[in-house]
Coordinates of all heavy atoms in Angstrom, one line a residue:
R1 N 2.1 -12.1 -12.5 CA 1.3 -11.5 -13.5 C -0.1 -12.0 -13.5 O -1.1 -11.2 -13.7 CB 1.9 -11.7 -14.8 CG 3.2 -11.0 -15.1 CD 3.9 -11.2 -16.4 NE 5.2 -10.7 -16.5 CZ 6.4 -11.4 -16.5 NH1 6.3 -12.8 -16.5 NH2 7.5 -10.8 -16.6
Q2 N -0.3 -13.3 -13.2 CA -1.7 -13.8 -13.0 C -2.4 -13.1 -11.9 O -3.6 -12.8 -12.0 CB -1.6 -15.3 -12.7 CG -1.4 -16.2 -13.9 CD -1.3 -17.7 -13.4 OE1 -2.1 -18.1 -12.5 NE2 -0.5 -18.5 -14.0
L3 N -1.7 -13.0 -10.8 CA -2.3 -12.3 -9.6 C -2.7 -10.9 -10.0 O -3.8 -10.4 -9.6 CB -1.3 -12.3 -8.4 CG -1.0 -13.6 -7.8 CD1 0.2 -13.5 -6.7 CD2 -2.2 -14.2 -7.1
K4 N -1.9 -10.2 -10.6 CA -2.2 -8.8 -11.1 C -3.5 -8.8 -12.0 O -4.3 -7.9 -11.8 CB -0.9 -8.2 -11.8 CG -1.1 -6.9 -12.4 CD 0.0 -6.4 -13.1 CE -0.2 -5.0 -13.8 NZ 0.9 -4.5 -14.6
N5 N -3.5 -9.8 -12.9 CA -4.6 -9.8 -13.8 C -5.9 -10.1 -13.0 O -7.0 -9.7 -13.5 CB -4.5 -10.8 -14.9 CG -3.4 -10.4 -15.8 OD1 -3.1 -9.3 -16.0 ND2 -2.8 -11.5 -16.5
E6 N -5.8 -10.7 -11.8 CA -7.0 -11.1 -11.0 C -7.3 -10.0 -10.1 O -8.2 -10.1 -9.2 CB -6.8 -12.4 -10.3 CG -6.7 -13.6 -11.2 CD -6.1 -14.9 -10.5 OE1 -5.9 -14.7 -9.3 OE2 -5.8 -15.8 -11.2
G7 N -6.6 -8.8 -10.1 CA -6.8 -7.7 -9.3 C -6.1 -7.8 -7.9 O -6.3 -6.9 -7.1
V8 N -5.2 -8.8 -7.8 CA -4.5 -8.9 -6.5 C -3.1 -8.0 -6.6 O -2.5 -8.0 -7.7 CB -4.0 -10.4 -6.2 CG1 -3.2 -10.4 -5.0 CG2 -5.3 -11.2 -6.1
S9 N -2.9 -7.3 -5.6 CA -1.6 -6.4 -5.6 C -0.6 -7.1 -5.0 O -0.7 -8.0 -4.1 CB -1.9 -5.1 -4.8 OG -3.0 -4.4 -5.4
V10 N 0.7 -6.8 -5.4 CA 1.9 -7.5 -4.9 C 3.0 -6.5 -4.5 O 3.3 -5.5 -5.3 CB 2.5 -8.5 -6.0 CG1 3.9 -9.0 -5.4 CG2 1.6 -9.5 -6.4
V11 N 3.4 -6.6 -3.3 CA 4.6 -5.8 -2.9 C 5.8 -6.7 -3.1 O 5.9 -7.7 -2.4 CB 4.5 -5.3 -1.4 CG1 5.8 -4.6 -1.0 CG2 3.3 -4.3 -1.3
F12 N 6.8 -6.3 -3.9 CA 7.9 -7.1 -4.3 C 9.2 -6.5 -3.7 O 9.7 -5.5 -4.1 CB 8.0 -7.2 -5.8 CG 8.9 -8.2 -6.4 CD1 8.6 -9.5 -6.4 CD2 10.2 -7.8 -6.9 CE1 9.4 -10.5 -7.0 CE2 11.1 -8.8 -7.3 CZ 10.7 -10.1 -7.4
V13 N 9.8 -7.1 -2.7 CA 11.0 -6.7 -2.2 C 12.2 -7.5 -2.7 O 12.2 -8.7 -2.6 CB 11.0 -6.9 -0.6 CG1 12.3 -6.3 0.1 CG2 9.8 -6.1 0.1
S14 N 13.1 -6.8 -3.3 CA 14.2 -7.6 -4.0 C 15.3 -6.6 -4.2 O 15.2 -5.4 -4.2 CB 13.8 -8.1 -5.4 OG 14.8 -8.7 -6.0
H15 N 16.5 -7.2 -4.1 CA 17.8 -6.4 -4.3 C 18.3 -6.5 -5.8 O 19.3 -6.0 -6.2 CB 18.9 -6.8 -3.4 CG 19.3 -8.2 -3.4 ND1 18.8 -9.2 -2.6 CD2 20.1 -8.9 -4.4 CE1 19.3 -10.4 -3.0 NE2 20.1 -10.2 -4.0
K16 N 17.6 -7.4 -6.6 CA 18.0 -7.7 -7.9 C 17.3 -6.7 -8.9 O 16.1 -6.8 -9.2 CB 17.7 -9.0 -8.3 CG 18.4 -10.1 -7.5 CD 18.1 -11.5 -7.8 CE 18.8 -12.5 -6.9 NZ 18.5 -14.0 -7.2
L17 N 18.0 -5.7 -9.4 CA 17.4 -4.6 -10.2 C 16.8 -5.1 -11.5 O 15.6 -4.7 -11.9 CB 18.5 -3.6 -10.6 CG 19.3 -2.9 -9.4 CD1 20.1 -1.8 -9.9 CD2 18.3 -2.4 -8.3
D18 N 17.3 -6.1 -12.1 CA 16.7 -6.7 -13.3 C 15.4 -7.2 -13.1 O 14.5 -7.1 -14.0 CB 17.6 -7.8 -14.0 CG 19.0 -7.2 -14.5 OD1 18.9 -6.0 -14.8 OD2 19.9 -7.9 -14.6
E19 N 15.2 -7.9 -11.9 CA 13.8 -8.4 -11.6 C 12.8 -7.3 -11.4 O 11.7 -7.5 -11.8 CB 13.9 -9.2 -10.3 CG 14.7 -10.5 -10.4 CD 14.8 -11.3 -9.2 OE1 14.3 -10.8 -8.2 OE2 15.4 -12.4 -9.2
L20 N 13.2 -6.1 -10.9 CA 12.3 -5.1 -10.7 C 11.7 -4.6 -12.0 O 10.5 -4.4 -12.2 CB 13.0 -3.9 -10.0 CG 13.7 -4.2 -8.6 CD1 14.2 -2.9 -8.0 CD2 12.8 -5.0 -7.6
Y21 N 12.6 -4.4 -13.0 CA 12.2 -3.9 -14.3 C 11.4 -5.0 -15.0 O 10.6 -4.7 -15.9 CB 13.4 -3.5 -15.1 CG 14.0 -2.2 -14.6 CD1 15.0 -2.2 -13.7 CD2 13.4 -1.0 -15.1 CE1 15.5 -0.9 -13.2 CE2 13.9 0.3 -14.7 CZ 14.9 0.2 -13.7 OH 15.4 1.5 -13.3
A22 N 11.6 -6.4 -14.7 CA 10.9 -7.4 -15.4 C 9.4 -7.5 -15.0 O 8.6 -7.9 -15.8 CB 11.6 -8.7 -15.2
V23 N 9.1 -7.2 -13.7 CA 7.8 -7.6 -13.2 C 7.1 -6.4 -12.4 O 5.9 -6.5 -12.3 CB 7.9 -8.8 -12.2 CG1 8.5 -8.4 -10.9 CG2 6.6 -9.6 -12.2
C24 N 7.8 -5.3 -12.1 CA 7.1 -4.3 -11.4 C 6.6 -3.1 -12.2 O 7.1 -2.7 -13.1 CB 8.1 -3.7 -10.3 SG 8.6 -5.1 -9.1
D25 N 5.5 -2.5 -11.6 CA 4.9 -1.3 -12.3 C 5.5 0.0 -11.6 O 5.8 1.0 -12.4 CB 3.4 -1.3 -12.0 CG 2.7 -2.5 -12.6 OD1 2.9 -2.8 -13.7 OD2 2.0 -3.2 -11.8
R26 N 5.7 0.1 -10.3 CA 6.2 1.2 -9.6 C 7.3 0.7 -8.6 O 7.3 -0.5 -8.2 CB 5.2 2.0 -9.0 CG 4.3 2.8 -9.9 CD 3.5 3.9 -9.1 NE 2.6 3.3 -8.0 CZ 2.2 4.0 -7.0 NH1 2.6 5.2 -6.8 NH2 1.4 3.4 -6.1
V27 N 8.0 1.7 -8.2 CA 9.0 1.4 -7.1 C 9.1 2.5 -6.0 O 8.9 3.7 -6.4 CB 10.5 1.3 -7.8 CG1 10.9 2.5 -8.5 CG2 11.5 0.9 -6.7
T28 N 9.2 2.1 -4.9 CA 9.4 3.0 -3.7 C 10.8 2.7 -3.1 O 11.1 1.6 -2.8 CB 8.4 2.8 -2.6 OG1 7.1 3.3 -3.1 CG2 8.7 3.6 -1.4
I29 N 11.6 3.8 -3.0 CA 13.0 3.6 -2.5 C 13.1 4.2 -1.1 O 12.6 5.4 -0.8 CB 14.0 4.4 -3.4 CG1 13.9 3.8 -4.8 CG2 15.4 4.3 -2.9 CD1 14.6 4.7 -5.8
M30 N 13.6 3.4 -0.2 CA 13.8 3.9 1.3 C 15.2 4.0 1.6 O 16.1 3.3 1.0 CB 13.0 2.9 2.2 CG 11.6 2.9 2.0 SD 10.8 1.9 3.4 CE 11.0 3.1 4.7
R31 N 15.5 5.0 2.5 CA 16.9 5.1 3.0 C 16.9 5.7 4.4 O 16.1 6.7 4.6 CB 17.7 6.1 2.0 CG 19.2 6.1 2.4 CD 20.0 6.9 1.4 NE 19.7 8.3 1.4 CZ 19.2 9.1 0.5 NH1 18.8 8.4 -0.6 NH2 19.0 10.3 0.6
D32 N 17.6 5.1 5.3 CA 17.6 5.6 6.7 C 16.3 5.8 7.3 O 16.0 6.9 8.0 CB 18.4 7.0 6.7 CG 19.9 6.8 6.3 OD1 20.4 5.7 6.4 OD2 20.4 7.7 5.7
G33 N 15.3 4.9 7.0 CA 14.0 4.9 7.6 C 13.1 5.9 7.0 O 11.9 6.0 7.5
R34 N 13.5 6.6 5.9 CA 12.6 7.5 5.2 C 12.2 7.1 3.8 O 13.0 6.3 3.2 CB 13.3 8.9 5.2 CG 13.5 9.5 6.6 CD 14.2 10.8 6.4 NE 14.7 11.4 7.7 CZ 13.8 12.1 8.4 NH1 12.5 12.4 7.9 NH2 14.2 12.6 9.6
T35 N 11.1 7.5 3.3 CA 10.8 7.2 1.9 C 11.5 8.3 1.0 O 11.1 9.5 1.2 CB 9.3 7.3 1.7 OG1 8.6 6.3 2.5 CG2 8.9 7.0 0.2
I36 N 12.4 7.9 0.2 CA 13.1 8.9 -0.6 C 12.3 9.3 -1.9 O 12.2 10.4 -2.2 CB 14.5 8.3 -1.0 CG1 15.3 7.9 0.3 CG2 15.3 9.3 -1.8 CD1 15.4 9.1 1.2
T37 N 11.8 8.2 -2.6 CA 11.1 8.6 -3.9 C 10.2 7.4 -4.2 O 10.5 6.2 -3.9 CB 12.1 8.9 -5.0 OG1 11.4 9.4 -6.1 CG2 12.9 7.6 -5.4
T38 N 9.1 7.7 -5.0 CA 8.3 6.7 -5.6 C 8.1 7.1 -7.1 O 7.9 8.3 -7.4 CB 6.9 6.7 -4.9 OG1 7.0 6.2 -3.6 CG2 6.0 5.7 -5.7

């Protein structure tokens, strides 16, 4: 959150869904080498 406030962007790769909702603004989902949705 500090980094975000300073204007730094973060790509957060995680399999823990609760963490995504705690700290992320947007999500991109991939499957079989393709971008499914953002």
